[in-house]
């Protein structure tokens, strides 16, 4: 599938380089004619099971996001914005999250906001990611 959606990544001079942390300051999306708002995807598998391990939940959450993108015929490079929610955030968790952001989005890093939270919807849920995609 050839995408007519193009994204321009904007990391302006005067701001620090966000790329090592797995995101872009701004993304301008053009060429699409639909916007998809993707609900928060957590680390639960198809049967609703959650691993107690943070890294496993992050990996599964991004797998779940890819499943949604595939279902709506969208590519990762059409995602312009993600929000991530992390229970009991500690900066040591950033490397794990950045790894899976890079695996999912490659060089087309979306704008991203990380929100530390005291808990999420399900008991044992440690991570969630939602997304906005501009699609054809």
């Amino acid at each position: 599938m050839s995408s007519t959606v193009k994204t321009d990544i904007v990391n302006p001079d005067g701001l620090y380089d966000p790329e090592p942390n797995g995101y872009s300051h701004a993304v301008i999306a053009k060429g699409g004619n639909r916007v998809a708002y993707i609900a928060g995807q957590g680390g639960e598998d198809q049967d609703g099971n959650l691993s107690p391990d943070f890294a496993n939940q992050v990996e599964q959450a991004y797998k779940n996001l890819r499943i949604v993108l595939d279902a709506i015929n969208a590519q990762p490079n059409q995602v312009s914005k993600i929000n991530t929610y992390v229970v009991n955030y500690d900066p040591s968790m950033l490397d794990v999250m950045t790894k899976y952001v890079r695996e999912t989005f490659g060089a087309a890093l979306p704008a991203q906001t990380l929100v530390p939270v005291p808990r999420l919807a399900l008991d044992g849920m440690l991570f969630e990611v939602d997304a906005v995609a501009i699609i054809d």
Side-chain angles (χ1 to χ4, degrees):
M1 171 205 270
S2 174
S3 172
T4 60
V5 174
K6 302 295 179 208
T7 56
D8 293 323
I9 293 173
V10 181
N11 290 315
D13 292 337
L15 295 178
Y16 82 98
D17 181 8
E19 194 274 338
N21 291 326
Y23 73 99
S24 300
H25 283 295
V27 175
I28 300 169
K30 56 191 171 215
N33 56 14
R34 295 182 294 152
V35 178
Y37 298 94
I38 301 169
Q41 299 301 306
E44 59 275 358
D45 65 16
Q46 185 174 6
D47 297 321
N49 300 314
L50 278 168
S51 167
D53 181 72
F54 177 75
N56 288 343
Q57 285 196 30
V58 174
E59 179 181 23
Q60 185 65 52
Y62 280 102
K63 285 181 183 177
N64 294 346
L65 178 59
R66 288 297 304 260
I67 290 169
V68 175
L69 290 173
D70 288 346
I72 63 173
N73 295 316
Q75 301 298 313
N77 68 345
Q78 294 173 305
V79 173
S80 57
K81 173 79 167 109
I82 60 174
N83 295 307
T84 54
Y85 306 91
V86 182
V87 173
N88 299 323
Y89 175 74
D90 178 286
S92 67
M93 300 165 141
L94 189 58
D95 287 343
V96 169
M97 293 183 292
T98 300
K99 173 186 177 190
Y100 292 106
V101 166
R102 289 186 187 289
E103 285 182 10
T104 302
F105 300 106
L109 296 170
Q112 178 180 179
T113 300
L114 186 154
V115 183
V117 295
R119 74 163 280 134
L120 289 164
L122 302 175
D123 289 339
M125 192 173 187
L126 303 173
F127 179 83
E128 186 172 11
V129 57
D130 65 32
V132 177
I134 311 300
I135 56 179
D136 301 324

